[in-house]
């Protein structure tokens, strides 16, 4: 059965009352992070504004008590047959590469801003969404927030959410909303979206893995999505919220993790690309972000804006001390700033193969 990108390919499934951890599922977090304007998510925006999804434009919806699920077809499974377990990232992906300084060897290249050396209980940012061009099914391009604790390459815990273009995972080149988690540095635990037990979805209106539409265009209108991940200080689960209007998607139970059972010690924001070309071959032309370098600025280069972290007091505060790093700046770069309505921000990305990245 071929996979269609139409709304009929999303199905409504009963929401599980018992997550994989065996704990009783939660419908709402006990407490949300506070910001200078009050409780996070207090401006009344609805889910459609928080995440413009192609499947909703036909008027399709799921009744209360169910969740929208992107159907896994035979074609999906066949595409993923080369992956050790469907929905897993290749080992070394997802942010560990740059910290170990071996991301070029593993094929994963990053342009990120990060904060470390503290105690973090969440992160928030607005991510500019683009239809990044991916050169082959073995590659992907993503932009996300990483919430991290543990040792890279050993017992790394991560929670991740943002948008990605992955022909192997979805069968097309649309930017799609996604989640990810691992408890052991991407070796055995964790997966994308709902491909394994772990993330507990509570929203009946947001489809994980759904195409985001519309997306930004070069020199044209710009679209971004606000992503907030935080640890409920009372119950301990890590919640995911979209938009400033408080559209709750669901949560990762605290029991999934070792180090993230208490807090994070690093937060990253930015882009990641897989270069699947063999050593010595020309670099992939897979794009990161808009496929343009940061120097081109607004409506041309991709951005993250209003970067914040959640502190010990469950308050959203600016991501102070943000450090910027590009694995291969000739291929994908990053440049930041602060001030005005965008708070702490950066532009990032690039075209991959070019005169500076042969």
């Amino acid at each position: 059965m071929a996979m269609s990108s139409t709304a009929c390919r999303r199905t409504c499934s009963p929401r599980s009352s018992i997550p994989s951890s065996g704990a009783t599922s939660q419908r709402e977090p006990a407490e949300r992070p506070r910001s200078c304007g009050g409780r996070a998510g207090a401006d009344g925006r609805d889910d459609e504004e928080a995440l413009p999804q192609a499947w909703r434009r036909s008027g399709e919806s799921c009744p209360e008590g169910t969740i929208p699920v992107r159907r896994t077809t035979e074609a999906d499974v066949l595409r993923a047959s080369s992956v050790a377990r469907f929905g897993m990232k290749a080992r070394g992906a997802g942010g560990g590469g740059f910290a170990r300084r071996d991301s070029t060897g593993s094929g994963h290249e990053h342009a990120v801003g990060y904060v470390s050396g503290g105690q973090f209980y969440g992160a928030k940012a607005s991510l500019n969404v683009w239809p990044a061009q991916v050169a082959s099914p073995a590659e992907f391009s993503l932009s996300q927030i990483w919430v991290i604790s543990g040792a890279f390459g050993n017992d790394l815990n991560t929670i991740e959410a943002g948008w990605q273009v992955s022909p192997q995972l979805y069968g097309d080149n649309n930017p799609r909303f996604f989640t990810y988690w691992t408890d052991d540095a991407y070796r055995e635990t964790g997966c994308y979206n709902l491909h394994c037990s772990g993330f507990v979805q509570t929203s009946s209106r947001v489809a994980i893995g759904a195409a985001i539409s519309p997306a930004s265009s070069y020199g044209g209108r710009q679209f971004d999505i606000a992503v907030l991940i935080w640890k409920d200080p009372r119950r301990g689960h890590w919640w995911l919220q979209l938009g400033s209007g408080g559209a709750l998607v669901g949560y990762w139970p605290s029991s999934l993790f070792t180090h993230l059972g208490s807090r994070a010690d690093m937060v990253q924001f930015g882009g990641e690309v897989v270069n699947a070309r063999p050593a010595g071959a020309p670099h992939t032309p897979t794009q990161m972000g808009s496929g343009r370098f940061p120097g081109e600025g607004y409506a041309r280069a991709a951005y993250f804006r209003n970067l914040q972290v959640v502190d010990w007091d469950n308050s959203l505060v600016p991501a102070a001390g943000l450090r910027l790093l590009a694995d291969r700046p000739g291929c994908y770069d990053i440049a930041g700033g602060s001030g005005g309505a965008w708070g702490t921000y950066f532009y990032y990305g690039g075209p991959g193969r070019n005169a500076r990245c042969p």
Side-chain angles (χ1 to χ4, degrees), residues 62 70 79 115 118 144 153 175 179 187 191 207 235 241 317 320 330 358:
C62 288
R70 182 181 178 275
R79 279 194 316 274
V115 291
Q144 67 174 39
T179 65
R187 291 178 294 183
C191 62
R235 295 172 179 158
Q241 174 181 301
V317 297

Side-chain angles (χ1 to χ4, degrees), residues 2 79 105 133-135 142 145 155 210 237 276 357:
R79 279 194 316 274
Q133 298 300 303
V134 174
L142 60 77
I145 296 173
D155 60 352
H237 303 319
C357 178

